[in-house]
Amino acid sequence: MQFLLLVVTFGLAYPWTHKMILRWQTKHQLINNDRLIYDGTALGMLVRALVVILTLVIPFAFLASPWAYCWLWCYQYSHTHVDHSSAE
């Protein structure tokens, strides 16, 4: 389903589909009987994805692409939290 949306929208739906997948994955993970939650937004991921794309397209900006990838992953990890209220 995600692939079809990406093809139809020329990749613009990536942040929204990725956010939905991350929310589902984290919601179904347990750490010490606590659930994980992901509270990132698609727009926050879109900005970072555009920076990654720009660093790959602009000449000599490829030197910054490792930083841009780390920035994208840090956004994802900084918005993944443990929900202590769901303890059983």
Side-chain angles (χ1 to χ4, degrees):
M1 185 64 134
Q2 181 186 24
F3 178 75
L4 289 175
L5 282 171
L6 293 177
V7 169
V8 170
T9 63
F10 301 105
L12 292 175
Y14 170 76
W16 287 270
T17 59
H18 191 66
K19 180 193 73 155
M20 289 187 302
I21 290 170
L22 281 175
R23 282 203 176 157
W24 188 88
Q25 286 176 338
T26 56
K27 184 173 70 172
H28 291 90
Q29 290 181 356
L30 288 174
I31 296 179
N32 293 332
N33 291 328
D34 291 326
R35 293 230 177 254
L36 291 177
I37 55 171
Y38 177 74
D39 62 359
T41 64
L43 289 176
M45 192 165 292
L46 176 66
V47 169
R48 284 155 179 83
L50 289 174
V51 170
V52 169
I53 291 168
L54 285 175
T55 60
L56 295 174
V57 174
I58 297 172
F60 299 108
F62 68 89
L63 298 173
S65 62
W67 168 83
Y69 275 108
C70 288
W71 189 48
L72 181 64
W73 283 104
C74 285
Y75 178 79
Q76 177 179 325
Y77 294 138
S78 68
H79 288 279
T80 302
H81 309 285
V82 176
D83 183 16
H84 296 288
S85 65
S86 65
E88 296 177 7

